[in-house]
Amino acid sequence: MDFARRNLALLFALSVSVLIVLSPVIESWIFIGSAYPKIPPAYGDEFLYYAQAHAVAQGYFGFGNPYLFEHATDYPLVIFGGTWISSIPLLLHLPLFLSIELNFLVWGLIFVTLAYWLLREIWVPKWLSAAGALFAFLQCSGLIMRMSNRQIVNPVFLLFYVALARFLIRPERFNIVLLGVATGLSFWVFSYLWQTVVITLGMLALYALICREWVLLRATLASSLLGGVIGSPTLIYMFWISHANPYFWESIARFGLVDSHLPMAEVVYSGGWVGAMLALLSFVYWRTPSLRRDRDFLLLCFYLALSGLGLWIMQGSNVITGKLLETGEHIRPFIATWLIIAVVSFSSSLWIRRAHITRAMRIVYGIILGVLTLVSIYFVYAHLKAFLFEVNAPFWKTQQLYAMPYEWLQQNEPNPVVVWGDVHNFSTTELPIFTRHYVLYTQPTVFHLVSNQEIRERYLVASYFDNPTVETLKKDLAEYVGRQDAYHRAKTIERGVKVCKILFFWDADKNCGEIPTSVSLLGDQFFTDMEHKYTSDIKPNIKTYLKKYHVSYILKDIVLDPQFHPEKLGGSVVYSDNRFELYKLP
């Protein structure tokens, strides 16, 4: 009872978080009619991670390529330690939906506990810490709800900032070790996180060196060394796989890698709020001299400045490195969570010290913090709208129809086989998640360690019934070239053209270049060659290619794939319902 009384605020926050965890169950019951559907509702790209977790549960602990039979035992392109942890319920033979809910519950409770702990470490009162922890959980709930790598990333993110706060306040041996362990864990879960951590600790070490804080410098270097040792296997693997596999850089390019020193607009859209918070810290320091003698206040300001700058610099790091891999979008959720922590802790600190602040300045600070609070609320809304306000109930119900052909395959094919489905049909994408089987081709394959040549060949083979032409290949670009060629290369050039026009608006003769499209950058010959490959090689030799890729079945969606005629290839119907037909090839 004494423990409950002392931790009532935390227990309240955890209780409310359990109700939030039940939201997918409630949504499924309302919109699908089943609290525990066989096929979990789709929200976004979580199927990528479900497929990897399923591969681990099937015994492929490297989760190399869960979609392609020939690449099932390949090495992963990137190590996502969270995938192994997410797969534990599946290894215990729980259905996917229950596995998702169990993971959501466990990691949701861990997240709220860590957020509460962090706020308490930086002197926020208990009940305000509980409210701030729940606010932060709402911000990240969509990421933690899905069995994606971010489910584990966000708690590790908080653990690092808890360790950093403790370290700055009390650089004792335990806190040095805790910071080192948190640093090391960041390497295992997310490359964007460990890079942020390295930048943050690097700035701290630089500060200690400039100020000749030798105790702080030695402690920072000790934590960094411990973290580096823990995380070094991931760096060694990255170095090895990038040299050992000839398709590594092709595969990374399909993730969206581009060469550019121009920062993304996201550095302003979300990162700009870090700048706004840092400006407020500086303004309060300048306008309220009495607070400069308050050690705890100064430590809080230093902590928020250090952690915020670490995120902001990482978001715009390509300015220095020249390598851009959707960095802005991947750092944005971290910034949104950091902003909640910063606003709650700084508001609390000013309120506690309100006697030292003039009435006029209280109003000014209150208005600024109110604006930042509204920004945080907007970030929460923007993040949650896909999960709460843009529900696609008809599609969710259609997904449930996939279960029947999947179950037939599971019952009638004890060994893995390859199934050919329409590349645009989501039933093809989800088949490897709910069966032991693989597909001829699906778009998520571009995010794995496979050559461009094979990706494009598989796409053309799988598009046999669509009879691809130059025009259809251009429209379908995103299905087979990856994010660099489909989006980012053209957008990077466009950004350069726009910046040039802004900088030289006064010079009408300045040639800043033309804004290209993804299609124009690839060139007409690219599409002509692909069409020629299909018409002169794949189409007349389709059966040879089906044997090459070990295709045993064709899955036809009667409603969406009327162009599919498997019988022309000798396929015979072995399963049929009101929506799907399965054909077995000879």
Side-chain angles (χ1 to χ4, degrees):
M1 289 297 293
D2 185 54
F3 173 83
R5 282 194 299 270
R6 286 187 291 106
N7 297 280
L8 187 59
L10 173 59
L11 294 175
F12 172 78
L14 293 175
S15 299
V16 174
S17 67
V18 170
L19 297 178
I20 297 173
V21 166
L22 291 175
S23 58
V25 176
I26 297 170
E27 275 193 327
S28 297
W29 178 66
I30 293 173
F31 295 107
I32 298 176
S34 171
Y36 299 98
K38 291 183 178 180
I39 310 292
Y43 294 99
D45 63 354
E46 65 281 339
F47 55 85
L48 295 167
Y49 304 101
Y50 295 169
Q52 290 177 348
H54 177 74
V56 173
Q58 294 291 305
Y60 299 103
F61 294 103
F63 59 85
N65 193 317
Y67 299 101
L68 305 182
F69 175 77
E70 294 83 0
H71 297 279
T73 58
D74 283 2
Y75 293 105
L77 179 60
V78 180
I79 289 180
F80 288 136
T83 300
W84 295 317
I85 299 173
S86 296
S87 66
I88 291 174
L90 294 176
L91 286 166
L92 298 175
H93 304 293
L94 287 180
L96 180 59
F97 191 87
L98 286 178
S99 297
I100 293 169
E101 275 299 294
L102 179 59
N103 274 317
F104 190 14
L105 174 63
V106 170
W107 290 103
L109 295 178
I110 292 174
F111 180 95
V112 171
T113 301
L114 287 169
Y116 177 86
W117 184 13
L118 172 56
L119 288 166
R120 292 293 292 141
E121 286 290 344
I122 50 181
W123 306 291
V124 178
K126 290 182 179 180
W127 284 98
L128 185 56
S129 293
L134 286 172
F135 193 9
F137 183 48
L138 280 175
Q139 164 61 40
C140 291
S141 59
L143 295 172
I144 300 173
M145 179 184 75
R146 305 177 296 164
M147 249 167 55
S148 73
N149 190 56
R150 292 299 283 255
Q151 195 168 59
I152 287 82
V153 167
N154 286 280
V156 173
F157 166 76
L158 286 179
L159 178 62
F160 170 75
Y161 286 115
V162 168
L164 181 63
R166 291 178 61 90
F167 176 85
L168 291 175
I169 297 167
R170 299 177 298 278
E172 303 163 353
R173 179 175 297 180
F174 174 80
N175 293 331
I176 292 172
V177 172
L178 179 62
L179 182 59
V181 170
T183 298
L185 288 176
S186 70
F187 284 84
W188 287 93
V189 294
F190 204 38
S191 61
Y192 296 99
L193 179 57
W194 73 253
Q195 292 174 71
T196 301
V197 167
V198 168
I199 290 171
T200 303
L201 292 181
M203 288 193 300
L204 180 57
L206 183 61
Y207 164 82
L209 179 63
I210 292 173
C211 296
R212 299 188 177 185
E213 295 278 354
W214 307 123
V215 174
L216 177 61
L217 178 60
R218 285 195 297 270
T220 302
L221 294 177
S223 291
S224 301
L225 179 61
L226 176 59
V229 170
I230 295 172
S232 60
T234 64
L235 297 179
I236 293 170
Y237 175 81
M238 186 190 308
F239 179 81
W240 173 76
I241 196 69
S242 65
H243 288 77
N245 192 294
Y247 309 123
F248 176 83
W249 290 109
E250 287 184 10
S251 303
I252 287 292
R254 293 197 301 270
F255 254 104
L257 178 67
V258 289
D259 295 327
S260 174
H261 289 281
L262 280 176
M264 300 183 72
E266 194 63 48
V267 174
V268 176
Y269 295 155
S270 58
W273 296 109
V274 175
M277 189 68 209
L278 298 182
L280 175 60
L281 297 178
S282 303
F283 184 67
V284 172
Y285 181 84
W286 171 57
R287 292 292 300 176
T288 317
S290 59
L291 294 180
R292 299 175 197 170
R293 296 186 294 273
D294 188 323
R295 178 181 178 275
D296 289 351
F297 178 78
L298 292 178
L299 263 176
L300 176 63
C301 290
F302 180 74
Y303 172 75
L304 295 178
L306 179 67
S307 55
L309 275 173
L311 288 166
W312 203 10
I313 291 171
M314 176 59 202
Q315 195 176 42
S317 58
N318 71 288
V319 172
I320 299 171
T321 65
K323 300 295 181 183
L324 182 60
L325 186 58
E326 298 186 345
T327 312
E329 298 96 314
H330 284 88
I331 297 298
R332 182 202 307 132
F334 291 147
I335 288 177
T337 302
W338 174 89
L339 186 61
I340 291 172
I341 300 298
V343 169
V344 170
S345 61
F346 199 62
S347 298
S348 173
S349 182
L350 290 181
W351 175 256
I352 292 170
R353 296 166 175 81
R354 61 190 181 278
H356 297 274
I357 306 171
T358 65
R359 180 179 176 82
M361 285 299 99
R362 290 181 206 171
I363 295 173
V364 172
Y365 301 159
I367 291 173
I368 296 173
L369 286 168
V371 171
L372 293 174
T373 300
L374 290 176
V375 170
S376 292
I377 292 172
Y378 171 76
F379 276 141
V380 171
Y381 164 75
H383 181 74
L384 286 180
K385 67 179 182 179
F387 302 94
L388 295 178
F389 310 116
E390 297 178 351
V391 171
N392 190 346
F395 179 65
W396 286 2
K397 291 179 179 178
T398 298
Q399 281 185 279
Q400 304 313 305
L401 302 178
Y402 303 167
M404 294 177 67
Y406 292 170
E407 287 175 358
W408 187 93
L409 280 168
Q410 282 294 86
Q411 293 170 5
N412 291 275
E413 283 292 347
N415 297 313
V417 297
V418 177
V419 180
W420 171 12
D422 190 337
V423 296
H424 306 100
N425 197 309
F426 203 56
S427 63
T428 305
T429 301
E430 291 210 315
L431 188 146
I433 301 173
F434 298 97
T435 72
R436 65 179 65 89
H437 307 300
Y438 299 86
V439 293
L440 170 59
Y441 183 74
T442 184
Q443 191 268 344
T445 298
V446 303
F447 301 117
H448 294 83
L449 204 53
V450 187
S451 70
N452 285 340
Q453 187 274 332
E454 182 176 342
I455 289 285
R456 293 162 191 173
E457 183 173 276
R458 283 179 175 274
Y459 167 80
L460 290 173
V461 174
S463 301
Y464 172 80
F465 291 117
D466 298 314
N467 202 32
T469 63
V470 166
E471 289 307 311
T472 61
L473 288 168
K474 289 180 179 180
K475 292 178 181 178
D476 222 19
L477 188 64
E479 293 293 327
Y480 59 89
V481 296
R483 298 185 63 80
Q484 182 195 79
D485 284 328
Y487 310 110
H488 293 309
R489 200 150 63 97
K491 281 294 183 183
T492 298
I493 297 172
E494 178 183 342
R495 192 158 56 248
V497 171
K498 289 181 176 179
V499 169
C500 174
K501 289 181 178 180
I502 292 172
L503 293 177
F504 296 94
F505 69 93
W506 48 270
D507 186 355
D509 296 326
K510 177 66 176 180
N511 181 15
C512 291
E514 298 297 322
I515 295 177
T517 65
S518 295
V519 168
S520 67
L521 286 176
L522 287 168
D524 288 339
Q525 191 62 45
F526 174 84
F527 301 99
T528 300
D529 290 345
M530 282 195 68
E531 182 188 52
H532 180 72
K533 168 75 173 175
Y534 171 75
T535 56
S536 65
D537 183 12
I538 291 174
K539 186 174 182 179
N541 300 296
I542 184 63
K543 293 185 178 180
T544 300
Y545 277 101
L546 294 180
K547 289 181 179 179
K548 175 181 177 180
Y549 292 121
H550 305 95
V551 179
S552 299
Y553 288 90
I554 298 177
L555 177 64
K556 176 179 179 179
D557 186 325
I558 299 170
V559 175
L560 298 180
D561 308 327
Q563 80 282 14
F564 267 51
H565 295 286
E567 65 278 2
K568 293 184 178 180
L569 297 176
S572 55
V573 178
V574 292
Y575 169 84
S576 179
D577 59 35
N578 292 328
R579 183 61 186 258
F580 290 97
E581 292 177 343
L582 265 171
Y583 290 77
K584 186 170 179 59
L585 292 175

